[in-house]
Amino acid sequence: MKEKGKRYSQGAFDDMEDNIGIVMPILTECDVDEDFSEGMDQLGEVVPILPLRNMVLFPGVAMPVMIGRVKSMRLAREAARAERLIGVVCQREIDTEDPLLEDLYPVGVVAEIMRVLELPDGATTIILQGKRRFELKELTETEPYLSGRIKLLEDTMPEKGDREFEALISTIKDLTIRLMSAAAEPPRDFILSIRNTKNPLYLINFSCSNIPNGPAEKQQLLAIGSLKERAYRLLFILNRECQLAELKAAIQMKTHEDINQQQKEYFLQQQIKTIQEELGGNINELEINELRQKASGKKWSAEVAGVFEKELRKLERLHPQSPDYSVQAQYVQTIVSLPWNEYSKDNFNLAHAQKVLDRDHYGLEKVKERIIEHLAVLKLKGDMKSPIICLYGPPGVGKTSLGRSIAEALRRKYVRVSLGGLHDEAEIRGHRRTYIGAMCGRIIQNIQKAGTSNPVFILDEIDKVTNDFKGDPASALLEVLDPEQNNAFHDNYLDIDYDLSRVLFIATANNLNTISQPLLDRMELIEVSGYILEEKVEIAAKHLVPKQMEAHGLRKGLTRFPRKTLQAIVESYTRESGVRELDKKIAKIMRKLARKVAGEEPVPASIRPEDLYEYLGAVEYTRDKYQGNEYAGVVTGLAWTAVGGEILFVESSLSRGKGMKLTLTGNLGDVMKESAMLALEYIHAHAALFGIDESLFENWNVHIHVPEGAIPKDGPSAGVTMVTSLVSSFTQRKVRKNIAMTGEITLRGKVLPVGGIKEKILAAKRAGIKELILCEENRKDIEEIKPEYLKGLTFHYVEDIRQVVDLALLQEKVENPLF
């Protein structure tokens, strides 16, 4: 076949691989002003139409097309033989076999068939040269091939000398070269031709046909008649494709670097493994052998041994660099580090145990007696389920430190857990191993720390356990503190039952009211009450003063603390049941002495009571002193508080007014208000018994006040005190000196027993009270108290409120002009 006037690169034709676009256009050489309109004057209104699949031809671009359809092959052969121009359009869907007008894009390109190649495998390839754009109006024939009526479209060229267009062409050229250079095998001939071409139409159309996009976006470019607008749209696409190509290259480079790093790490790991094998085994094997060696000396059951071996084999299969390796290693290490069936030997010397307990704590006879009993049973039986002991009482009486003394007396390991503010159930039971950072609970952690399965385990501040959305730790403690259940305690992390039945659990609490009833039911309650004045002085002399002198760097014997001085500190500078505040005051004195010693000032040989102002300042507490009986209606009562017993004064007065109005002040709780109303109603109903005129209730109002309104006060034990105060006010009879009382009343005048008797007795002694009125049923509480606590006190036991009035009130009346 005769070749036309255009020349093309034979190398580009021979290598028809698609390097960048779908089909690489053939490189041609174009003059600057060439418009590719040769032969267009012979074009008729109706031309043969060649539909292309997935390809868009642009004016001036030569492109090879492989033909497979019969109609297309017939058209190509006839047009080539007659040297006739044809219309080339792209069909919308690639799968359409016989396209109609609606299946074709409306804008196509008039093309010349430059050459027809019959390949050995029977396929036919033609080379098309694009010339002018046209719009397909209609299809006139479908046989033997498609023919259609077209309308030629003009390309609007920019004005000569348009600097913006020149910059646009230059940018398109650079981006096209960059895009082609990003290919796996860049077409160097094409890049060189693009760099040297001067024809803007050819450059734009070549770039349009070269972008690696589908036919839809190329067809949009072909439909733009203004060359400048087409160039702008092309520039947008080229920018996008260049960015995408750079992103792909960056991802490929990053992946390549990661692979290289992994290969490097693998190579180093293999080297380390080889070195370790030369030295006699790798780190993993050494660690597993060490775990097996530890396990060989364990006294655990067959079930635990089976679980350990299973988990150890799982650890062996893991690579040391695996994230799961450290998790599995930690779990196996936890199993092997627990003291399975390992117990320390108890010391059954009862005399030694008594000596240790007496040395470390003064008083606390009930607690010491209970521990000695426990030790005696262990000595006789050899084995028993340890009971759960709960020591409760005010702060500072030595509940926590008592646990350490018990551990020393029994020669057991000592561990302590503070439960104050604990609100997560997992702190007791542990986390499941599926969670990140899982660990066993505090119970198993401290058993592991103790190294034996029978330590003395202190559960401190058990009354301050709280609950929230993370669970209820108090409920989790039910299993721990039940001797029937804790022989198979289940920790979520360990996931193996552990025997806690030999552990001596000792819980401490300040207030039993905040402990749940099921938990309270599982514990043996032992009250640790406050100390009397003599006991505090003894504790200070034997324990606190030597301890603080050593803590502050003062030599032994530097100065003396006489018992009168210690007694003055207790009475005037502390107000507590325990000795914690006393310890702080002694420490304050030691700091003053240390300053004198460091400043080389003289230190007194003895600290006298009158010297306390220099060391501790003004006296802090004086209100616990009895205030006399000069006024009617002022009666001394006894109260229990969290810091021990206290005395309180119930005051009542009458004022003129119509009807009987009762006023209550002093920050009283509901129970105490009810006691006041009950007392008034009882007196009103039994006025004749006490010699009270009925008219007083009609013409006088009653006011009851309990001083220190800033402190909330509640409880039924002020009932008898209020009745006595009101009778004194209505009759103006004086109250007996140095007498105090406590007890609840009923509407029938019966006196009921109350609690906290020992603390109330200590408060009475501190205040200088000589006589106490109690309910007859409280006699048994007095009999359990040591005689030295009761020294100097006289007790009156009553059953009826009239007995209280007869004992507490004198026949002598207070002079009052109102009565």
Side-chain angles (χ1 to χ4, degrees):
M1 178 183 174
K2 177 185 174 183
E3 294 187 10
K4 304 297 179 180
K6 302 290 180 240
R7 296 184 302 276
Y8 51 87
S9 169
Q10 184 62 43
F13 176 73
D14 292 340
D15 184 12
M16 291 171 59
E17 295 285 336
D18 182 7
N19 288 321
I20 299 176
I22 296 173
V23 175
M24 178 66 73
I26 294 176
L27 181 63
T28 61
E29 296 177 3
C30 305
D31 298 331
V32 177
D33 298 325
E34 189 171 359
D35 60 359
F36 316 107
S37 58
E38 182 181 353
M40 292 296 296
D41 53 346
Q42 303 174 6
L43 187 68
E45 188 178 354
V46 177
V47 296
I49 300 297
L50 177 66
L52 300 182
R53 303 177 197 258
N54 208 29
M55 297 172 64
V56 178
L57 182 65
F58 283 82
V61 177
M63 187 168 63
V65 178
M66 185 176 290
I67 296 174
R69 286 182 280 208
V70 176
K71 291 183 180 182
S72 299
M73 293 176 66
R74 190 180 297 129
L75 183 151
R77 289 191 180 98
E78 289 186 10
R81 187 171 54 250
E83 297 185 358
R84 183 181 178 187
L85 298 178
I86 63 173
V88 179
V89 292
C90 180
Q91 61 188 55
R92 296 180 187 274
E93 299 293 337
I94 192 173
D95 298 329
T96 305
E97 192 64 29
D98 291 317
L100 301 176
L101 183 63
E102 60 271 14
D103 299 321
L104 303 173
Y105 283 107
V107 178
V109 174
V110 176
E112 180 184 3
I113 298 177
M114 303 292 295
R115 191 172 181 182
V116 179
L117 298 174
E118 301 289 346
L119 299 180
D121 58 358
T124 300
T125 299
I126 62 174
I127 299 174
L128 298 176
Q129 171 79 52
K131 292 191 172 291
R132 284 273 299 277
R133 296 184 310 119
F134 69 82
E135 182 182 359
L136 180 61
K137 294 295 187 179
E138 61 175 333
L139 291 178
T140 57
E141 294 180 13
T142 58
E143 294 295 340
Y145 44 77
L146 296 180
S147 297
R149 184 173 285 104
I150 65 171
K151 177 186 175 183
L152 292 177
L153 300 175
E154 295 290 336
D155 285 338
T156 305
M157 303 293 291
E159 297 180 1
K160 286 189 177 182
D162 188 339
R163 303 292 293 174
E164 183 183 354
F165 184 69
E166 291 177 4
L168 198 58
I169 293 299
S170 177
T171 306
I172 288 173
K173 182 185 293 188
D174 293 341
L175 289 178
T176 302
I177 293 172
R178 190 198 305 178
L179 194 61
M180 295 176 109
S181 301
E185 296 182 4
R188 303 189 183 281
D189 292 342
F190 279 84
I191 293 172
L192 183 62
S193 176
I194 290 294
R195 187 173 282 118
N196 295 329
T197 187
K198 304 296 185 180
N199 190 324
L201 178 63
Y202 174 72
L203 176 64
I204 292 172
N205 289 341
F206 180 83
S207 297
C208 287
S209 61
N210 198 45
I211 58 175
N213 294 54
E217 197 159 31
K218 292 182 180 180
Q219 194 68 37
Q220 290 177 5
L221 289 168
L222 183 63
I224 299 173
S226 171
L227 195 61
K228 191 172 183 180
E229 290 181 12
R230 190 187 303 167
Y232 266 115
R233 178 62 185 167
L234 173 63
L235 184 60
F236 171 79
I237 296 172
L238 288 174
N239 269 315
R240 184 189 68 199
E241 295 302 321
C242 283
Q243 291 174 10
L244 183 62
E246 290 173 358
L247 185 60
K248 287 180 180 178
I251 292 172
Q252 187 177 2
M253 183 61 67
K254 183 178 180 181
T255 308
H256 183 67
E257 288 177 357
D258 288 345
I259 291 172
N260 286 345
Q261 182 67 21
Q262 289 177 4
Q263 290 173 341
K264 180 181 178 182
E265 290 176 359
Y266 175 76
F267 178 70
L268 292 174
Q269 289 293 339
Q270 291 300 112
Q271 284 185 321
I272 292 173
K273 187 176 180 181
T274 304
I275 294 171
Q276 289 169 346
E277 287 174 354
E278 290 295 326
L279 293 174
N282 58 31
I283 295 174
N284 190 15
E285 291 175 356
L286 291 173
E287 185 175 352
I288 288 182
N289 290 336
E290 183 182 349
L291 289 171
R292 277 213 167 88
Q293 187 175 357
K294 282 184 180 179
S296 62
K298 288 293 174 181
K299 302 176 184 177
W300 50 32
S301 63
E303 179 188 356
V304 179
V307 172
F308 173 78
E309 189 60 34
K310 175 184 173 183
E311 297 296 333
L312 192 63
R313 284 200 300 269
K314 191 185 295 182
L315 181 65
E316 282 181 312
R317 292 194 296 269
L318 291 173
H319 192 276
Q321 300 301 318
S322 169
D324 294 332
Y325 182 84
S326 59
V327 176
Q328 185 68 15
Q330 180 185 351
Y331 177 66
V332 175
Q333 190 71 43
T334 302
I335 295 177
V336 81
S337 60
L338 279 170
W340 301 91
N341 298 322
E342 296 177 19
Y343 304 103
S344 58
K345 188 176 181 181
D346 290 326
N347 179 17
F348 296 121
N349 188 333
L350 304 185
H352 167 75
Q354 189 71 53
K355 182 180 178 181
V356 171
L357 294 173
D358 289 339
R359 182 199 67 195
D360 294 341
H361 291 83
Y362 188 84
L364 305 180
E365 301 304 327
K366 274 190 180 181
V367 185
K368 295 175 183 176
E369 183 182 354
R370 180 66 187 83
I371 299 304
I372 298 298
E373 290 172 357
H374 174 68
L375 197 57
V377 175
L378 279 176
K379 183 176 181 179
L380 295 176
K381 191 172 183 291
D383 179 26
M384 67 173 287
K385 290 182 178 179
S386 294
I388 314 300
I389 298 173
C390 179
L391 306 176
Y392 72 95
V397 294
K399 299 185 297 297
T400 303
S401 60
L402 192 62
R404 192 181 294 276
S405 298
I406 293 171
E408 184 181 347
L410 297 175
R411 287 187 182 167
R412 289 192 181 188
K413 296 289 185 178
Y414 169 82
V415 288
R416 172 183 166 273
V417 172
S418 178
L419 301 178
L422 193 73
H423 57 84
D424 189 354
E425 182 186 345
E427 293 283 346
I428 304 297
R429 291 187 183 276
H431 307 82
R432 299 193 182 279
R433 278 197 290 156
T434 52
Y435 295 114
I436 296 174
M439 61 174 62
C440 48
R442 293 196 188 184
I443 303 297
I444 296 297
Q445 283 180 27
N446 282 277
I447 294 292
Q448 183 178 340
K449 186 191 301 182
T452 64
S453 292
N454 65 335
V456 173
F457 203 121
I458 304 298
L459 298 170
D460 217 0
E461 311 290 357
I462 199 171
D463 57 327
K464 297 175 180 62
V465 174
T466 60
N467 61 349
D468 62 3
F469 66 95
K470 296 180 181 177
D472 185 5
S475 299
L477 283 170
L478 293 177
E479 182 185 3
V480 178
L481 300 182
D482 192 342
E484 297 299 324
Q485 296 182 43
N486 64 10
N487 60 340
F489 173 68
H490 186 85
D491 185 274
N492 290 329
Y493 178 79
L494 188 63
D495 207 21
I496 308 172
D497 289 342
Y498 194 88
D499 185 9
L500 298 178
S501 62
R502 304 279 289 274
V503 178
L504 178 57
F505 286 103
I506 299 177
T508 70
N510 298 128
N511 186 5
L512 298 181
N513 295 330
T514 57
I515 304 176
S516 66
Q517 192 59 40
L519 189 58
L520 204 61
D521 186 57
R522 283 164 167 77
M523 298 187 291
E524 181 181 341
L525 302 178
I526 299 178
E527 183 180 6
V528 184
S529 55
Y531 300 107
I532 61 174
L533 174 63
E534 290 79 8
E535 287 178 331
K536 288 185 179 181
V537 171
E538 196 71 26
I539 291 170
K542 289 185 176 180
H543 299 283
L544 303 183
V545 171
K547 181 186 76 171
Q548 291 297 343
M549 289 191 78
E550 182 182 352
H552 290 80
L554 301 175
R555 62 178 174 81
K556 189 177 181 181
L558 175 68
T559 187
R560 291 177 55 251
F561 281 79
R563 294 186 179 272
K564 286 187 177 181
T565 303
L566 296 175
Q567 183 176 342
I569 296 173
V570 172
E571 290 181 332
S572 301
Y573 292 93
T574 66
R575 193 190 71 186
E576 59 175 347
S577 292
V579 292
R580 190 170 288 151
E581 188 70 21
L582 176 60
D583 193 29
K584 293 177 184 176
K585 296 302 179 185
I586 294 174
K588 186 175 181 180
I589 296 174
M590 295 301 176
R591 289 195 296 272
K592 302 281 187 184
L593 293 174
R595 180 175 178 180
K596 287 187 176 184
V597 172
E600 298 182 354
E601 298 178 22
V603 177
S606 177
I607 306 294
R608 299 171 300 172
E610 52 267 28
D611 297 333
L612 292 179
Y613 181 84
E614 177 187 351
Y615 294 97
L616 298 177
V619 172
E620 297 180 20
Y621 301 108
T622 57
R623 77 170 184 86
D624 264 3
K625 294 298 182 183
Y626 176 68
Q627 296 179 0
N629 65 341
E630 301 302 321
Y631 300 94
V634 181
V635 182
T636 306
L638 297 174
W640 179 91
T641 68
V643 295
E646 291 185 7
I647 67 169
L648 56 83
F649 301 99
V650 176
E651 304 174 349
S652 62
S653 65
L654 305 180
S655 59
R656 291 187 181 276
K658 287 296 179 182
M660 186 174 60
K661 179 184 176 184
L662 175 62
T663 304
L664 301 172
T665 55
N667 200 354
L668 308 181
D670 292 337
V671 177
M672 211 161 179
K673 289 177 182 177
E674 290 174 0
S675 296
M677 289 188 285
L678 181 63
L680 185 58
E681 288 299 327
Y682 174 78
I683 294 171
H684 195 178
H686 301 83
L689 292 176
F690 303 110
I692 300 173
D693 187 357
E694 287 284 350
S695 62
L696 290 176
F697 296 99
E698 300 294 331
N699 301 313
W700 295 82
N701 294 329
V702 180
H703 186 171
I704 298 177
H705 175 66
V706 183
E708 290 196 79
I711 300 175
K713 294 171 279 290
D714 200 8
S717 62
V720 295
T721 314
M722 288 182 172
V723 172
T724 307
S725 175
L726 288 172
V727 172
S728 176
S729 292
F730 278 113
T731 63
Q732 291 297 295
R733 292 166 62 182
K734 281 189 175 183
V735 181
R736 189 183 299 274
K737 287 184 179 180
N738 299 317
I739 194 168
M741 60 193 70
T742 182
E744 185 180 355
I745 62 165
T746 69
L747 199 55
R748 295 172 295 152
K750 296 295 181 184
V751 179
L752 302 180
V754 291
I757 296 298
K758 184 179 178 183
E759 284 80 5
K760 292 176 180 179
I761 289 173
L762 298 182
K765 291 198 71 172
R766 287 198 302 266
I769 301 293
K770 304 297 183 185
E771 298 181 68
L772 291 177
I773 299 177
L774 303 172
C775 175
E776 177 66 36
E777 293 185 34
N778 283 124
R779 186 189 293 268
K780 62 181 184 301
D781 299 311
I782 299 298
E783 291 172 352
E784 292 181 359
I785 298 174
K786 292 171 63 175
E788 53 264 33
Y789 284 39
L790 311 178
K791 189 177 180 181
L793 292 176
T794 302
F795 295 93
H796 303 281
Y797 300 103
V798 297
E799 293 181 345
D800 192 273
I801 191 62
R802 285 174 290 182
Q803 295 175 268
V804 177
V805 173
D806 291 341
L807 286 168
L809 298 184
L810 303 174
Q811 294 301 322
E812 180 185 356
K813 293 190 177 183
V814 178
E815 294 183 5
N816 192 334
L818 295 176
F819 286 85

